[in-house]
Each structure stands twice: as structure tokens, then as C-alpha cells.
């Protein structure tokens, strides 16, 4: 046991047996003698929080001993940021740009590419002035080539340990916080660079990308019938090799070039035979580049999950690669030497870290480039073993043995080979004068910064030493007088806490036995049932808190004050928690009226509980419940009874309207009447909701027909639209029902349709006249607004049906994501507290007096009514998804995949008989509007959806390099 803890227990052991009122001066002096005197003598040897006079407590052993100079400052040695001799310069990771840094280092160490870029003309001449560079103006490259020039010059001659590539990354428009596909970045940037350099006049510059990286192969198809050979020539900048099922690089190359048979439905149309024939197809390598990039396809598309996954399988490769067996024209020199290995550390395709092992073409030494950190490999050898051990493999595949000159990796995703016949470079690539001047200026800034940091560091050390001497002198004069007594009130309180903690378990048993007895008469006390269930835990937490207050306050005396924000948050949380017996307090601070939440306990039990909770609210059995709550309860009961009576009366008066039976229809006008009245469907739904649950909803007082009229008082719907698309917005009322509605509700506006016969012909022509009449101007405005809303919606609900054998079925294998159903909306509306009225149906004085509204308010109001009353009724088996108009079909398919376990490529979607096939099109252009129902037909079922667990965190499709400068050329 720690010495300080032993002193603590020894000093206060008496408190477990002595009552607080029995604490004497002798007890206090005993505690002082055991606990505090060793601190004054310095015997405790610990940072003692309990004694402000403890010299150990204020850290004299630190100040009086030898102190390291580094403890006087927090400034790192600026020389740590300096480039080491005979080493390379690193690149800052801007967040998730390690994939960019690896390729920049690989391209930098391609001396031919670097030399060609240095030869590019630059706009730096505009930046130069007289004999040098404008001092007050920073250099800003204007093109991708200029960015690469400047970066390569800094990588070559900078004095810094690492440089910042943010200008280059910003010029490409890359998102620094999102990790991208490194292989795709390599392809796109090489294409951009080639396109940019193609405008140069110097052929050594213009053709450098093709000379270094471009090869040629041919797709060759041979007809089995006539032997005719068809060739399709194609250039390549890297060979994409499938690694699945292979262990060696040579096997991957062989599969890339293997012959493919074209048979059956896949037969080849031979122009010589003028018919489809069986044929063979293969790739022939015609020429190889100086730098051969081999992309190992580790990141593949998983058909089950609809996402990429990483193949963490080992692939063996040698440092010397003979490509002669694979090319069509033999006799040349096709021996390649490994020059770079690009590594992806991590088991997932959506996370991890990129590094590069690159060989210095001049010295032949291998270096590991890891963003800012550059490490030289020993013995001029490539060492991948450490990288392979960093991330455990899910498959736990044992690493195969590798012979001399060979390597195997489960993280390598790109291998770079250089043609061995090329002459070794003897002289370094020279940086052009204008670039060297820019580098020299940056080096001068770095040196100035180093001097400034070193001076600040020296000043901090000097101040610290002076403070050290001052404190040492202060300790010599510091008195450490004894404290002859402790605060009696604090000792008594601590005694009470320690005694209660020691007897808590025994009291818990006693209280449980007392609760079993029946309370007679009026001697009992009301206690909350919830408080009784957890009173021991509450008591223990409260005692621990009170016991800790002493240490906490003493900690403040020794300088360990709590963070203000943290203490405020803790106090706020504590205030929100209910204390003992506060669960039976009503909002007015009195005894609650619900007897189900409390029980009567004996006087003896309450006395025990009160020892632990002296501040708990006390309610003797004779205490009356809160009078205000009783009044509110009676009013609530009266309101409920009134609502039930109103609902029953209205339901009896309008039975068919409530049950939605025998409703008239405009498209099939009933013969028994020439007049039909109109109310909004929203009014009918709200009224039915009230009648079904009168105690949970407020009565509907007004018909609210103003929602169907424009600000000028005209009707917003034509007769034709009310028979079709607008039929969901209105409800037709029989004349007899209308008479009853006028008695039961406030009618703000009467809307009716009259059928009349016109003309003398037999049969006569039928006309339908509305009162009030249609307002053409507002009707046109409403249609335009609705169309605009359908094209610009965000987070709207659509519904998806999965169809099997042309029947709609329910798929329960996966939970719904982003669900928003009509039932959910109704439940939210029904959750309104009693008395809260919908603003659309507030009863106003004056009955039918119309409220004045502006046109903008009317449009917003109209949209609200339409949106709420046109909700699609989600039926069994549908899944609701939240979508936006600018969302692509591909993104919708990803959502459907999570909801129905159907991969995107197995989804056949249609809406109103129209096939949805363009993955790049937006939902708005495809005619998908809010409340639409999309039919889903899957090509094949997926048996095991559990495999998606590893990638479920990636819910949205990849944006890739969309919107960046890589796609702008």
C-alpha cells in the first residue's frame, strides 16, 4: 500500500466508530499528528495534496535538483528541420495526400523526366526583375509544368528536411481531406502532363512522356474458320495485371497475354466470312517503354457489396525482369531492373497509408519515402519485410519464402521497372538558374527562421535558469510552521461521511426489512419508488463525491485547479439528475398527485434514509397533494370528456365521411345531385385523426377552405385537374353532408361545383361551373412553382418496391436506411400536446372573415398543404428513401443496395413503365419526384449479405477525381 494511503487510513480510522457529535479536540490532534506532521518534516516523499505546508507537495525536489535546459522551453531544435547530408527531401502530408507524395518522389527520381521538365519555358521571367527576384513578391507557378519544375528544384536543392506541396495540390483541385485511388491518380496525371507538354516546341520536352512511359500492344483476333487476323493497335502507359489467384508477377503477365476463346453468344463477326464465327483473341506486346509501370490490381470491385475491396494476397517479384518471352519481336534487349515499389499499408480499400520504396538511379541505394520522413535502406538492398509486418492480414496467410534477388508483398500495388540497357547517369541533373535562384531564396528564408527559433530557444533557457536560481533562494527562506489544529467543522463532516460509508451495507439490509412491514396510521412518509430502488447507489455516489471534495479542494491549493469549462459542464449534468425523493416532486415543487409513483414507508425507515439524504424533500403521509396539479387534472379530465363527446357527435353526424364510404366522384358524376361541395383533403384527414383519438388530438374547428383559393379569392384548380392529379388535394361532399358541416364547423369559404345542361340538342351538352371561379393567373403560377419544386427538391421521400415474378414482395433481410414513411409523419403529428392547434385551422373571431396574406406567404402555405395532403401511403413491402433532385441514379442504387441487399449492377429500376438506366443522370432529369414509387427487379438474389459488414461504413459512392483539374484536359 502506498505510504500516503496508509497515513490517510491511520489518521481517520477512528471516524468509522465515532459519531459526528462525539468528535473531540483529541481526535483532531491525533489526525493531525498522523497525517500532517510527516509532510512538514518531508518524510512523506510524495506530492501530498492534503497539506499546504508540505514542501514535497509544492515540488521542491524538482527545483532544488539539477534541471535539464529543455524543460525551460517547448521549442524544438530548428536543426531537426534541416535536411541531412546525402539524403532526399520529404513532402508534407496535407491530410490525405500521401498517394500524391509517393508518385511525386517516383517521378522526381526519373532523371530523364526531371531534365525535360527543367527545359520547359517558364513564366518566371515575368517574376524576375533586373538581376534577381522581386523581394516583396512570392513566386506563384502558373501551370502544372511550372509547379512540377519548382517542386523538383526544391526536392533537389532545398535545405529543408521536407517541403510543402500545397501549391501543386491546389492547382490540381484535389481534396486534401479525402484519400483517392492512387492508380487512377497516376493515369490521369500522366495524361494531363502529356497533353500539357504536347504544346512544347522542343521535341525532347514534347515527347518525354511517350519516350519514358509509352508502349504499344495490339488486340489480335483470329477467325477459326478462315484464319483471318484482325489487329487493333493501342498505346499503354502501364499494364494492369490481375493478381487474384496468382502468386508470382510472371503468372500475372502471362494471364494478361493469354489467349481467349470467343464462342457461343460471344462469337466474333468475321468480315471475310461475313458471319459470326468461333475465334481466338489475345494481346501482343509490340514495343515496351524505358520505364515499365506494372499496376497490380489490388483494389477490385466486389459484386456482393457494390464496393471496392483490397486483395491482401502475397505476390512475388524479382529485381530483374526479362520481358523478351512476352514480346512479339524477339532479339532486342528487354531486361528490366526494379526501380520503385509503391506500397499501400492497410487491409481496406477505403483507408490506409501510401509509401514508396525508390532506388536512387545514381548511387543505386534504396530509400523509403514516407511523406516527411526519408529512410535510407542498408546495404543498397530493398527491404520490404518491415512494411509487411505492420498490418495483420485478415486471411492470416503465411508469407512465402523469397530467394536472393526476389521479394514478395501483399501491400505492393505498383512496380516500376527501368530498362537495364540504359546507361547509368554520371552527372547530376542541373537546376536551371531561374529555379535555383528561387530555391536559394527559400533556403535564405529557412536559415532566417532557424536563427530566429534558436534565439527564442536561448532566451527561454536564460529566463528559466534565472527563475531556477530565484526559486532555490526562496526555498532557503521559506518557513514551514506547524498547523496545530484542523477545522472542526470539516473534521465532523468527514467523520459523518466515513461513518456512513462503513455502515451503508448494514443499513441497506435494515431498510429492506423495514420496508416489508405495513405502515399503519399517519406516521409514515411518502418516498418515490424509483428512489427506493436505487437509494444505495445514490447514497454511495453522494458519499464518494463528498469524500472527494476534500481532495479536490486541496488539489486546488496545490495548483491542480479544474478546467472551468469542465467543471461547469459537470455541475450542469449534476443539476439535471434527480436527487433522492425528487422523483415525486410535481412541477410546482409539491407532492405529485400520482400515487403509482410513490409508496408509504415507516418513520424508522425514513429516519435511516434521511441520514444519507438530509436535504431530500420530506412528505409525511398526511401531506396533501399539489392543489394546482389537482385543478389541472380535473380540467384535463373535463377536456377529454368534452373531446370524446364532440368526436362521437361528429362521427355520428358524418358516418360516411369518417369511414370513407359512398364518396362522390367528379369523373363519374352521381345522377342523384347536380351540386357537390368541396373541402380540402387535409381538413378531412385532420378531422378523422381527431375522431379516432379525441384524447390525443385537438378538435378541428374550421374547414379551412382558404387553402384551396388564391389571394384574389379564385379557385386554384380546374375541373379537369380535380378529376386527375389534384384529386388528392380535395374531398367531395354531398349536399346533405355539407349542411351538417356548416353546423359543426366554421366555414370560411363555400366552394361548390354545379352541373348544368346547355343547348337544345339531344343529348344536351353538360357543363360544370365552380363557385368561386378559377383564377387563371394564380393557377399558372402554382403550376410553375410545383414544377420548380419537383426539379429542385432536397431530402424528399420516394418509395421502392422490390418485384419478383412481377409481384411486389417485402424484403426483410436488411434494415432500412434513411427511412421516412407516412406513418412516421402521422405519429409525429399525433404527438402534439393537447391544446396545440394546427395553424391552418385556428378559429378566428368573426367566423367567415378571411385573413389577409401576401403572395409569398400564400405560395409557402400552399406548398405546405400540398406536401402534407399528397403523401403516398406506404404499403406493406415498400421501403422509403430520402433523396435529392441533384442526386445521380448511381447514388440512388447505392442506397437501394443497403435497403434491399441487391448490388447496383443487379438492379433493374423503372418508374411508370420507364426504364431508369443512365447512372450519371440526376433524379430530377429522370422524372423522379417526391412520393414517386420506383419498381426494383433484381437479376439474381444475394444469399450472404453479412459480407458487407466490413464496408458498411462507406455509404456514399466515390466521387473520385470529379471536379478536379485532372479531368479538365
Amino acid at each position: 500500500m502506498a505510504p500516503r494511503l496508509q497515513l490517510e487510513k491511520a489518521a481517520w480510522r477512528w471516524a468509522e466508530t465515532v459519531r459526528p457529535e462525539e468528535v473531540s479536540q483529541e481526535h483532531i490532534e491525533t489526525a493531525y499528528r498522523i497525517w500532517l506532521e510527516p509532510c512538514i518534516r518531508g518524510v512523506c516523499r510524495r506530492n501530498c495534496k492534503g497539506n499546504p505546508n508540505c514542501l514535497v507537495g509544492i515540488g521542491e525536489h524538482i527545483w532544488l535538483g539539477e534541471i535539464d535546459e529543455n524543460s525551460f522551453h517547448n521549442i524544438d531544435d530548428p536543426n531537426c528541420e534541416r535536411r541531412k547530408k546525402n539524403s532526399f527531401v520529404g513532402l508534407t502530408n496535407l491530410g490525405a495526400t500521401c498517394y500524391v507524395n509517393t508518385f511525386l518522389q517516383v517521378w522526381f527520381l526519373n532523371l530523364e523526366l526531371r531534365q525535360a521538365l527543367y527545359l520547359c519555358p517558364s513564366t518566371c521571367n515575368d517574376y524576375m526583375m533586373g538581376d534577381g527576384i522581386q523581394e516583396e513578391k512570392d513566386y506563384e507557378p502558373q501551370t502544372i509544368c511550372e509547379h512540377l519544375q519548382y517542386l523538383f528544384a526544391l526536392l533537389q536543392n532545398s535545405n529543408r528536411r521536407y517541403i510543402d506541396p500545397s501549391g501543386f495540390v491546389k492547382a490540381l483541385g484535389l481534396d486534401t481531406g479525402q484519400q483517392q485511388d492512387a492508380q487512377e491518380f497516376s493515369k490521369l496525371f500522366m495524361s494531363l502532363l502529356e497533353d500539357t507538354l504536347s504544346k512544347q516546341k522542343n521535341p525532347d520536352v514534347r515527347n518525354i512522356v511517350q519516350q519514358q512511359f509509352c508502349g504499344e500492344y495490339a488486340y489480335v483476333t483470329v477467325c477459326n474458320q478462315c484464319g483471318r487476323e484482325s489487329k487493333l493497335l493501342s498505346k499503354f502507359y502501364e499494364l494492369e495485371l490481375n493478381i487474384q489467384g496468382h502468386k508470382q508477377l510472371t503468372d500475372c503477365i502471362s494471364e494478361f497475354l493469354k489467349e481467349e476463346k470467343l464462342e457461343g453468344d460471344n462469337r466474333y463477326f468475321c468480315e471475310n466470312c461475313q458471319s459470326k464465327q468461333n475465334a481466338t483473341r489475345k494481346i501482343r506486346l509490340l514495343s515496351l517503354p524505358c520505364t515499365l509501370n506494372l499496376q497490380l490490381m489490388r483494389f477490385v470491385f466486389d459484386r456482393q457489396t457494390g464496393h471496392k475491396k483490397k486483395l491482401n494476397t502475397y505476390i512475388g517479384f524479382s529485381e530483374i525482369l526479362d520481358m523478351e518471352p512476352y514480346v512479339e519481336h524477339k532479339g532486342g534487349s528487354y531486361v528490366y531492373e526494379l526501380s520503385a515499389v509503391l506500397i499501400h499499408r492497410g487491409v481496406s480499400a477505403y483507408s490506409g497509408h501510401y509509401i514508396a520504396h525508390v532506388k536512387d538511379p545514381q548511387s543505386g541505394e534504396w530509400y523509403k519515402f514516407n511523406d516527411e520522413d526519408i529512410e535510407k535502406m542498408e546495404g543498397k538492398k530493398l527491404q520490404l519485410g518491415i512494411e509487411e509486418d505492420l498490418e495483420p492480414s485478415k486471411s492470416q496467410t503465411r508469407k512465402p519464402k523469397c530467394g536472393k534477388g526476389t521479394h514478395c508483398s501483399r501491400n505492393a500495388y505498383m512496380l516500376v521497372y527501368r530498362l537495364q540497357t540504359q546507361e547509368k547517369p554520371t552527372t547530376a541533373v542541373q537546376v536551371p538558374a531561374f529555379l535555383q535562384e528561387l530555391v536559394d531564396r527559400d533556403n535564405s528564408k529557412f536559415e532566417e527562421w532557424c536563427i530566429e527559433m534558436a534565439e527564442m530557444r536561448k532566451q527561454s533557457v536564460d529566463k528559466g535558469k534565472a527563475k531556477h536560481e530565484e526559486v532555490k533562494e526562496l526555498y532557503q527562506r521559506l518557513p514551514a510552521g506547524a498547523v496545530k489544529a484542523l477545522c472542526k467543522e470539516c473534521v465532523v463532516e468527514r467523520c459523518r461521511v466515513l461513518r456512513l460509508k462503513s455502515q451503508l451495507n448494514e443499513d441497506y439490509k435494515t431498510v429492506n426489512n423495514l420496508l416489508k412491514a405495513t405502515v399503519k396510521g399517519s406516521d409514515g412518509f411518502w418516498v418515490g419508488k424509483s428512489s427506493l430502488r436505487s437509494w444505495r447507489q445514490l447514497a454511495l455516489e453522494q458519499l464518494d463525491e463528498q469524500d472527494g471534495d476534500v481532495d479536490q479542494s486541496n488539489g486546488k491549493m496545490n495548483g491542480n485547479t479544474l478546467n472551468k469549462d469542465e467543471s461547469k459542464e459537470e455541475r450542469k449534468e449534476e443539476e439535471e439528475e434527480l436527487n433522492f425523493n425528487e422523483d415525486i416532486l410535481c412541477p410546482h415543487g409539491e407532492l405529485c398527485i400520482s400515487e403509482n409513483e410513490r409508496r408509504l414507508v415507516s418513520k424508522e425507515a425514513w429516519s435511516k434514509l434521511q441520514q444519507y439524504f438530509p436535504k431530500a424533500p420530506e412528505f409525511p403521509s398526511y401531506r396533501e397533494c399539489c392543489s394546482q396539479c389537482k385543478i389541472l387534472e380535473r380540467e384535463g379530465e373535463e377536456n377529454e370528456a368534452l373531446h370524446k363527446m364532440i368526436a362521437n357527435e361528429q362521427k355520428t353526424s358524418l358516418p360516411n365521411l369518417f369511414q370513407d364510404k359512398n364518396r362522390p366522384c367528379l369523373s363519374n358524376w352521381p345522377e342523384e345531385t347536380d351540386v357537390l361541395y368541396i373541402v380540402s383533403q387535409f381538413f378531412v384527414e385532420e378531422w378523422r385523426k381527431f375522431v379516432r383519438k379525441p384524447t390525443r388530438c385537438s378538435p378541428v374547428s374550421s374547414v379551412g377552405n382558404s387553402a384551396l383559393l388564391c389571394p384574389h379569392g379564385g379557385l386554384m384548380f380546374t375541373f379537369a385537374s380535380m378529376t386527375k392529379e389534384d384529386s388528392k388535394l380535395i374531398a367531395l361532399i354531398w349536399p346533405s353532408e355539407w349542411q351538417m358541416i356548416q353546423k359543426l364547423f366554421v366555414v370560411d369559404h363555400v366552394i361548390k361545383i354545379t352541373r348544368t345542361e346547355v343547348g337544345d340538342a339531344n343529348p344536351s351538352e353538360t357543363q360544370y361551373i365552380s363557385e368561386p371561379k378559377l383564377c387563371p393567373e394564380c393557377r399558372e403560377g402554382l403550376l410553375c412553382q410545383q414544377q420548380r419544386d419537383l426539379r429542385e427538391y432536397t431530402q424528399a421521400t420516394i418509395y421502392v418496391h422490390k418485384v419478383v415474378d412481377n409481384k411486389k414482395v417485402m424484403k426483410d433481410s436488411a434494415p432500412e436506411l434513411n427511412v421516412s414513411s407516412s406513418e412516421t409523419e402521422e405519429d409525429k403529428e399525433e404527438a402534439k400536446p393537447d391544446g396545440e392547434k394546427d395553424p391552418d385551422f385556428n378559429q378566428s373571431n368573426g367566423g367567415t372573415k378571411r385573413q389577409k396574406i401576401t403572395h409569398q406567404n400564400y405560395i409557402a402555405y400552399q406548398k405546405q398543404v400540398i406536401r402534407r395532403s399528397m403523401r403516398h401511403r406506404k404499403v406493406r413491402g415498400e421501403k422509403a428513401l430520402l433523396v435529392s433532385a441533384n442526386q445521380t441514379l448511381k447514388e440512388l442504387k447505392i442506397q437501394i443496395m443497403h435497403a434491399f441487399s441487391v448490388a447496383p449492377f443487379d438492379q433493374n429500376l423503372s418508374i411508370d413503365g420507364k426504364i431508369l438506366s443512365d447512372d450519371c443522370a440526376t433524379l430530377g432529369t429522370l422524372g423522379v419526384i417526391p412520393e414517386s414509387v420506383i419498381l426494383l427487379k433484381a437479376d439474381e438474389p444475394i444469399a450472404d449479405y453479412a459480407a458487407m459488414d466490413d464496408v458498411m461504413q462507406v455509404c456514399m459512392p466515390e466521387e473520385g477525381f470529379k471536379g478536379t483539374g485532372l479531368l479538365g484536359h
Side-chain angles (χ1 to χ4, degrees), residues 182-200:
Q183 294 170 336
E184 185 182 3
F185 169 74
S186 172
K187 293 178 190 177
L188 292 175
F189 184 78
M190 274 295 136
S191 177
L192 172 63
L193 185 61
E194 182 182 24
D195 183 68
T196 305
L197 295 178
S198 65
K199 303 176 180 63
Q200 298 293 323

Side-chain angles (χ1 to χ4, degrees), residues 297 366 370 705 884:
M297 305 305 290
W366 282 91
N370 184 6
N705 267 354
S884 301

